[in-house]
Amino acid sequence: MNIDTPAIVCALRTHAEHGAVVRLMTPKDGLQAAYVRGARGRRMRPVLVPGNLVQARLRSRTEEQLAHAEVELEHSRAPLITEPLPAAAIDWVTALTAAALPEGQPYPRLYDALDALLALIEAAPSALGWASLLVRYELLLLAELGFGLDLETCAVTGSNDGLVAVSPRSGRAVSAAEAEPYAGKLLILPRFVREGGPASWEDIRDGLVLSGHFLSRDILTGRVSGLGEARSRLVGRILRAGGI
């Protein structure tokens, strides 16, 4: 392996006395794990903060060997550590990325979406400015891993008009007329999920419920089940910020 790439720091696990294994999300090579010498030292600690953008040089003699990496800071989001809601959002989305993705497989759309989401969390004055993109990132991650929702047409009629709900079992959209007899049993489909655009706090709440249902069912299982608690805490903070 010989990779020189921009990357987003997603996770850090101490290894040996002074080093750490770092998981980096890259635009062309997907999630990469590498050992960083001196990662716990004064110089490197501020660099290897989840959410930071870095330039990484990864080297290994064989594909099976853990790579060694040299990492230089390109852009720091460490100042957001003192802001509870943005910090919790960055911790969640980077931890989800590091835990859910297989290593070494390219996910360029996810890299671009993660980069955009982190930038918006940093720039927006409140969670109302970035929470809808968080929902869309979670749904994109599901889709990239083969668990995408079918939100193009109604599961019953095949029409693409008036889609307002999603079946919690099939992940398929349902139109208003077909959803009415099943009120309370279907998940609400906010308009911004399909069409983009602005979202209200109520829309964001419904979007978080939607993506959270399928994340819990399909991703946050087994060894990563503990991440569900971190997401629940984040969702609670977002909803309190919106007065919901």
mmCIF file of all heavy atoms in Angstrom, residues 138-174:
data_model
loop_
_atom_site.group_PDB
_atom_site.id
_atom_site.type_symbol
_atom_site.label_atom_id
_atom_site.label_comp_id
_atom_site.label_asym_id
_atom_site.label_seq_id
_atom_site.Cartn_x
_atom_site.Cartn_y
_atom_site.Cartn_z
ATOM 1 N N GLU A 138 -27.303 9.670 7.106
ATOM 2 C CA GLU A 138 -27.610 8.345 7.652
ATOM 3 C C GLU A 138 -28.326 7.479 6.620
ATOM 4 O O GLU A 138 -28.037 6.285 6.487
ATOM 5 C CB GLU A 138 -28.468 8.493 8.909
ATOM 6 C CG GLU A 138 -27.728 9.105 10.089
ATOM 7 C CD GLU A 138 -28.602 9.310 11.310
ATOM 8 O OE1 GLU A 138 -29.844 9.339 11.158
ATOM 9 O OE2 GLU A 138 -28.050 9.439 12.416
ATOM 10 N N LEU A 139 -29.247 8.069 5.876
ATOM 11 C CA LEU A 139 -29.964 7.313 4.848
ATOM 12 C C LEU A 139 -29.041 6.937 3.695
ATOM 13 O O LEU A 139 -29.164 5.840 3.121
ATOM 14 C CB LEU A 139 -31.155 8.125 4.341
ATOM 15 C CG LEU A 139 -32.288 8.340 5.351
ATOM 16 C CD1 LEU A 139 -33.326 9.311 4.797
ATOM 17 C CD2 LEU A 139 -32.957 7.011 5.722
ATOM 18 N N LEU A 140 -28.105 7.826 3.343
ATOM 19 C CA LEU A 140 -27.138 7.504 2.297
ATOM 20 C C LEU A 140 -26.237 6.364 2.734
ATOM 21 O O LEU A 140 -25.947 5.453 1.935
ATOM 22 C CB LEU A 140 -26.306 8.743 1.959
ATOM 23 C CG LEU A 140 -25.182 8.532 0.940
ATOM 24 C CD1 LEU A 140 -25.728 8.073 -0.408
ATOM 25 C CD2 LEU A 140 -24.343 9.806 0.775
ATOM 26 N N LEU A 141 -25.794 6.379 3.980
ATOM 27 C CA LEU A 141 -24.959 5.289 4.482
ATOM 28 C C LEU A 141 -25.712 3.964 4.407
ATOM 29 O O LEU A 141 -25.150 2.942 3.985
ATOM 30 C CB LEU A 141 -24.511 5.591 5.905
ATOM 31 C CG LEU A 141 -23.537 4.587 6.533
ATOM 32 C CD1 LEU A 141 -22.466 5.306 7.361
ATOM 33 C CD2 LEU A 141 -24.265 3.591 7.428
ATOM 34 N N LEU A 142 -26.972 3.978 4.802
ATOM 35 C CA LEU A 142 -27.785 2.761 4.673
ATOM 36 C C LEU A 142 -27.821 2.283 3.230
ATOM 37 O O LEU A 142 -27.655 1.083 2.948
ATOM 38 C CB LEU A 142 -29.207 3.032 5.177
ATOM 39 C CG LEU A 142 -29.412 3.023 6.688
ATOM 40 C CD1 LEU A 142 -30.706 3.747 7.054
ATOM 41 C CD2 LEU A 142 -29.445 1.594 7.227
ATOM 42 N N ALA A 143 -28.043 3.209 2.301
ATOM 43 C CA ALA A 143 -28.137 2.839 0.885
ATOM 44 C C ALA A 143 -26.809 2.289 0.371
ATOM 45 O O ALA A 143 -26.776 1.282 -0.361
ATOM 46 C CB ALA A 143 -28.566 4.049 0.064
ATOM 47 N N GLU A 144 -25.696 2.921 0.747
ATOM 48 C CA GLU A 144 -24.392 2.482 0.262
ATOM 49 C C GLU A 144 -24.031 1.092 0.786
ATOM 50 O O GLU A 144 -23.278 0.358 0.145
ATOM 51 C CB GLU A 144 -23.322 3.488 0.678
ATOM 52 C CG GLU A 144 -23.428 4.832 -0.013
ATOM 53 C CD GLU A 144 -22.976 4.783 -1.457
ATOM 54 O OE1 GLU A 144 -21.770 4.634 -1.696
ATOM 55 O OE2 GLU A 144 -23.843 4.875 -2.352
ATOM 56 N N LEU A 145 -24.604 0.722 1.924
ATOM 57 C CA LEU A 145 -24.332 -0.600 2.499
ATOM 58 C C LEU A 145 -25.385 -1.636 2.092
ATOM 59 O O LEU A 145 -25.366 -2.756 2.596
ATOM 60 C CB LEU A 145 -24.258 -0.497 4.021
ATOM 61 C CG LEU A 145 -23.045 0.278 4.562
ATOM 62 C CD1 LEU A 145 -23.112 0.392 6.075
ATOM 63 C CD2 LEU A 145 -21.738 -0.391 4.147
ATOM 64 N N GLY A 146 -26.272 -1.249 1.193
ATOM 65 C CA GLY A 146 -27.253 -2.210 0.682
ATOM 66 C C GLY A 146 -28.572 -2.240 1.414
ATOM 67 O O GLY A 146 -29.377 -3.153 1.189
ATOM 68 N N PHE A 147 -28.827 -1.248 2.259
ATOM 69 C CA PHE A 147 -30.071 -1.201 3.024
ATOM 70 C C PHE A 147 -30.898 0.038 2.669
ATOM 71 O O PHE A 147 -31.607 0.587 3.510
ATOM 72 C CB PHE A 147 -29.778 -1.208 4.529
ATOM 73 C CG PHE A 147 -28.985 -2.393 4.998
ATOM 74 C CD1 PHE A 147 -27.655 -2.256 5.375
ATOM 75 C CD2 PHE A 147 -29.559 -3.650 5.049
ATOM 76 C CE1 PHE A 147 -26.914 -3.336 5.822
ATOM 77 C CE2 PHE A 147 -28.827 -4.746 5.483
ATOM 78 C CZ PHE A 147 -27.506 -4.594 5.864
ATOM 79 N N GLY A 148 -30.795 0.474 1.442
ATOM 80 C CA GLY A 148 -31.465 1.694 1.031
ATOM 81 C C GLY A 148 -32.977 1.573 1.034
ATOM 82 O O GLY A 148 -33.547 0.501 0.795
ATOM 83 N N LEU A 149 -33.645 2.688 1.296
ATOM 84 C CA LEU A 149 -35.100 2.737 1.250
ATOM 85 C C LEU A 149 -35.553 2.998 -0.176
ATOM 86 O O LEU A 149 -34.850 3.631 -0.963
ATOM 87 C CB LEU A 149 -35.624 3.843 2.176
ATOM 88 C CG LEU A 149 -35.086 3.871 3.610
ATOM 89 C CD1 LEU A 149 -35.842 4.912 4.433
ATOM 90 C CD2 LEU A 149 -35.170 2.505 4.249
ATOM 91 N N ASP A 150 -36.740 2.519 -0.507
ATOM 92 C CA ASP A 150 -37.340 2.759 -1.814
ATOM 93 C C ASP A 150 -38.386 3.847 -1.652
ATOM 94 O O ASP A 150 -39.515 3.576 -1.240
ATOM 95 C CB ASP A 150 -37.965 1.472 -2.358
ATOM 96 C CG ASP A 150 -38.559 1.653 -3.750
ATOM 97 O OD1 ASP A 150 -38.571 2.802 -4.246
ATOM 98 O OD2 ASP A 150 -39.022 0.661 -4.326
ATOM 99 N N LEU A 151 -37.994 5.073 -1.971
ATOM 100 C CA LEU A 151 -38.870 6.222 -1.746
ATOM 101 C C LEU A 151 -39.352 6.843 -3.047
ATOM 102 O O LEU A 151 -39.848 7.963 -3.058
ATOM 103 C CB LEU A 151 -38.121 7.282 -0.918
ATOM 104 C CG LEU A 151 -37.523 6.795 0.411
ATOM 105 C CD1 LEU A 151 -36.792 7.935 1.102
ATOM 106 C CD2 LEU A 151 -38.604 6.204 1.308
ATOM 107 N N GLU A 152 -39.246 6.112 -4.141
ATOM 108 C CA GLU A 152 -39.608 6.669 -5.445
ATOM 109 C C GLU A 152 -41.085 6.501 -5.771
ATOM 110 O O GLU A 152 -41.701 7.388 -6.356
ATOM 111 C CB GLU A 152 -38.761 6.023 -6.546
ATOM 112 C CG GLU A 152 -37.264 6.290 -6.399
ATOM 113 C CD GLU A 152 -36.949 7.770 -6.397
ATOM 114 O OE1 GLU A 152 -37.511 8.500 -7.243
ATOM 115 O OE2 GLU A 152 -36.149 8.201 -5.549
ATOM 116 N N THR A 153 -41.649 5.371 -5.417
ATOM 117 C CA THR A 153 -43.051 5.094 -5.748
ATOM 118 C C THR A 153 -43.749 4.428 -4.579
ATOM 119 O O THR A 153 -43.109 3.847 -3.698
ATOM 120 C CB THR A 153 -43.161 4.175 -6.981
ATOM 121 O OG1 THR A 153 -42.479 2.941 -6.701
ATOM 122 C CG2 THR A 153 -42.558 4.829 -8.216
ATOM 123 N N CYS A 154 -45.069 4.498 -4.584
ATOM 124 C CA CYS A 154 -45.870 3.873 -3.538
ATOM 125 C C CYS A 154 -45.772 2.355 -3.621
ATOM 126 O O CYS A 154 -45.889 1.772 -4.712
ATOM 127 C CB CYS A 154 -47.327 4.325 -3.657
ATOM 128 S SG CYS A 154 -48.454 3.514 -2.493
ATOM 129 N N ALA A 155 -45.587 1.714 -2.493
ATOM 130 C CA ALA A 155 -45.470 0.261 -2.445
ATOM 131 C C ALA A 155 -46.749 -0.426 -2.892
ATOM 132 O O ALA A 155 -46.710 -1.574 -3.358
ATOM 133 C CB ALA A 155 -45.116 -0.186 -1.029
ATOM 134 N N VAL A 156 -47.899 0.250 -2.784
ATOM 135 C CA VAL A 156 -49.181 -0.364 -3.098
ATOM 136 C C VAL A 156 -49.622 -0.053 -4.523
ATOM 137 O O VAL A 156 -49.999 -0.949 -5.288
ATOM 138 C CB VAL A 156 -50.269 0.100 -2.101
ATOM 139 C CG1 VAL A 156 -51.618 -0.548 -2.431
ATOM 140 C CG2 VAL A 156 -49.852 -0.234 -0.669
ATOM 141 N N THR A 157 -49.556 1.232 -4.899
ATOM 142 C CA THR A 157 -50.122 1.652 -6.187
ATOM 143 C C THR A 157 -49.087 1.831 -7.286
ATOM 144 O O THR A 157 -49.436 1.863 -8.458
ATOM 145 C CB THR A 157 -50.879 2.978 -6.021
ATOM 146 O OG1 THR A 157 -49.946 4.015 -5.683
ATOM 147 C CG2 THR A 157 -51.936 2.864 -4.926
ATOM 148 N N GLY A 158 -47.831 2.003 -6.911
ATOM 149 C CA GLY A 158 -46.795 2.278 -7.903
ATOM 150 C C GLY A 158 -46.727 3.734 -8.321
ATOM 151 O O GLY A 158 -45.872 4.115 -9.115
ATOM 152 N N SER A 159 -47.592 4.566 -7.780
ATOM 153 C CA SER A 159 -47.603 5.989 -8.110
ATOM 154 C C SER A 159 -46.509 6.716 -7.335
ATOM 155 O O SER A 159 -46.095 6.278 -6.256
ATOM 156 C CB SER A 159 -48.960 6.586 -7.756
ATOM 157 O OG SER A 159 -48.927 7.995 -7.839
ATOM 158 N N ASN A 160 -46.052 7.840 -7.897
ATOM 159 C CA ASN A 160 -45.052 8.643 -7.177
ATOM 160 C C ASN A 160 -45.640 9.935 -6.623
ATOM 161 O O ASN A 160 -44.916 10.864 -6.265
ATOM 162 C CB ASN A 160 -43.853 8.962 -8.069
ATOM 163 C CG ASN A 160 -44.243 9.752 -9.308
ATOM 164 O OD1 ASN A 160 -45.405 10.119 -9.487
ATOM 165 N ND2 ASN A 160 -43.274 10.012 -10.167
ATOM 166 N N ASP A 161 -46.966 9.991 -6.537
ATOM 167 C CA ASP A 161 -47.649 11.181 -6.035
ATOM 168 C C ASP A 161 -48.057 11.001 -4.572
ATOM 169 O O ASP A 161 -48.477 9.912 -4.157
ATOM 170 C CB ASP A 161 -48.907 11.477 -6.859
ATOM 171 C CG ASP A 161 -48.595 11.840 -8.302
ATOM 172 O OD1 ASP A 161 -47.529 12.464 -8.520
ATOM 173 O OD2 ASP A 161 -49.398 11.503 -9.197
ATOM 174 N N GLY A 162 -47.946 12.079 -3.798
ATOM 175 C CA GLY A 162 -48.476 12.095 -2.438
ATOM 176 C C GLY A 162 -47.852 11.087 -1.505
ATOM 177 O O GLY A 162 -48.545 10.517 -0.647
ATOM 178 N N LEU A 163 -46.546 10.877 -1.619
ATOM 179 C CA LEU A 163 -45.876 9.916 -0.749
ATOM 180 C C LEU A 163 -45.624 10.565 0.609
ATOM 181 O O LEU A 163 -44.944 11.589 0.707
ATOM 182 C CB LEU A 163 -44.551 9.466 -1.377
ATOM 183 C CG LEU A 163 -44.676 8.813 -2.760
ATOM 184 C CD1 LEU A 163 -43.298 8.464 -3.303
ATOM 185 C CD2 LEU A 163 -45.569 7.585 -2.713
ATOM 186 N N VAL A 164 -46.178 9.987 1.659
ATOM 187 C CA VAL A 164 -46.132 10.626 2.977
ATOM 188 C C VAL A 164 -45.627 9.708 4.080
ATOM 189 O O VAL A 164 -45.432 10.157 5.209
ATOM 190 C CB VAL A 164 -47.524 11.150 3.381
ATOM 191 C CG1 VAL A 164 -48.030 12.184 2.377
ATOM 192 C CG2 VAL A 164 -48.522 9.994 3.529
ATOM 193 N N ALA A 165 -45.425 8.429 3.799
ATOM 194 C CA ALA A 165 -45.064 7.472 4.848
ATOM 195 C C ALA A 165 -44.137 6.397 4.286
ATOM 196 O O ALA A 165 -43.958 6.280 3.066
ATOM 197 C CB ALA A 165 -46.320 6.835 5.443
ATOM 198 N N VAL A 166 -43.563 5.629 5.205
ATOM 199 C CA VAL A 166 -42.663 4.536 4.840
ATOM 200 C C VAL A 166 -43.021 3.321 5.681
ATOM 201 O O VAL A 166 -43.238 3.428 6.894
ATOM 202 C CB VAL A 166 -41.187 4.911 5.085
ATOM 203 C CG1 VAL A 166 -40.271 3.732 4.767
ATOM 204 C CG2 VAL A 166 -40.793 6.129 4.255
ATOM 205 N N SER A 167 -43.076 2.163 5.025
ATOM 206 C CA SER A 167 -43.314 0.928 5.766
ATOM 207 C C SER A 167 -42.092 0.592 6.615
ATOM 208 O O SER A 167 -40.970 0.520 6.090
ATOM 209 C CB SER A 167 -43.583 -0.221 4.796
ATOM 210 O OG SER A 167 -43.474 -1.470 5.463
ATOM 211 N N PRO A 168 -42.262 0.369 7.926
ATOM 212 C CA PRO A 168 -41.111 0.028 8.771
ATOM 213 C C PRO A 168 -40.555 -1.359 8.478
ATOM 214 O O PRO A 168 -39.439 -1.675 8.900
ATOM 215 C CB PRO A 168 -41.681 0.109 10.184
ATOM 216 C CG PRO A 168 -43.147 -0.110 10.027
ATOM 217 C CD PRO A 168 -43.512 0.482 8.698
ATOM 218 N N ARG A 169 -41.302 -2.166 7.766
ATOM 219 C CA ARG A 169 -40.828 -3.514 7.438
ATOM 220 C C ARG A 169 -40.087 -3.543 6.111
ATOM 221 O O ARG A 169 -38.984 -4.064 6.014
ATOM 222 C CB ARG A 169 -42.006 -4.487 7.395
ATOM 223 C CG ARG A 169 -42.669 -4.693 8.752
ATOM 224 C CD ARG A 169 -43.757 -5.749 8.672
ATOM 225 N NE ARG A 169 -43.218 -7.064 8.295
ATOM 226 C CZ ARG A 169 -43.959 -8.126 8.041
ATOM 227 N NH1 ARG A 169 -45.286 -8.042 8.121
ATOM 228 N NH2 ARG A 169 -43.407 -9.266 7.725
ATOM 229 N N SER A 170 -40.692 -2.976 5.063
ATOM 230 C CA SER A 170 -40.105 -3.074 3.730
ATOM 231 C C SER A 170 -39.214 -1.894 3.370
ATOM 232 O O SER A 170 -38.399 -1.990 2.455
ATOM 233 C CB SER A 170 -41.210 -3.198 2.681
ATOM 234 O OG SER A 170 -41.952 -1.985 2.578
ATOM 235 N N GLY A 171 -39.374 -0.766 4.057
ATOM 236 C CA GLY A 171 -38.629 0.426 3.693
ATOM 237 C C GLY A 171 -39.125 1.081 2.427
ATOM 238 O O GLY A 171 -38.433 1.916 1.839
ATOM 239 N N ARG A 172 -40.342 0.773 2.023
ATOM 240 C CA ARG A 172 -40.920 1.353 0.809
ATOM 241 C C ARG A 172 -41.896 2.462 1.168
ATOM 242 O O ARG A 172 -42.568 2.422 2.205
ATOM 243 C CB ARG A 172 -41.615 0.287 -0.022
ATOM 244 C CG ARG A 172 -40.681 -0.800 -0.536
ATOM 245 C CD ARG A 172 -41.372 -1.675 -1.567
ATOM 246 N NE ARG A 172 -41.750 -0.888 -2.755
ATOM 247 C CZ ARG A 172 -42.476 -1.374 -3.757
ATOM 248 N NH1 ARG A 172 -42.921 -2.626 -3.708
ATOM 249 N NH2 ARG A 172 -42.783 -0.624 -4.792
ATOM 250 N N ALA A 173 -41.969 3.445 0.283
ATOM 251 C CA ALA A 173 -42.851 4.585 0.509
ATOM 252 C C ALA A 173 -44.306 4.190 0.323
ATOM 253 O O ALA A 173 -44.629 3.218 -0.385
ATOM 254 C CB ALA A 173 -42.491 5.714 -0.456
ATOM 255 N N VAL A 174 -45.191 4.970 0.953
ATOM 256 C CA VAL A 174 -46.636 4.738 0.864
ATOM 257 C C VAL A 174 -47.313 6.090 0.655
ATOM 258 O O VAL A 174 -46.954 7.085 1.297
ATOM 259 C CB VAL A 174 -47.172 4.073 2.154
ATOM 260 C CG1 VAL A 174 -48.666 3.777 2.022
ATOM 261 C CG2 VAL A 174 -46.400 2.787 2.464
#
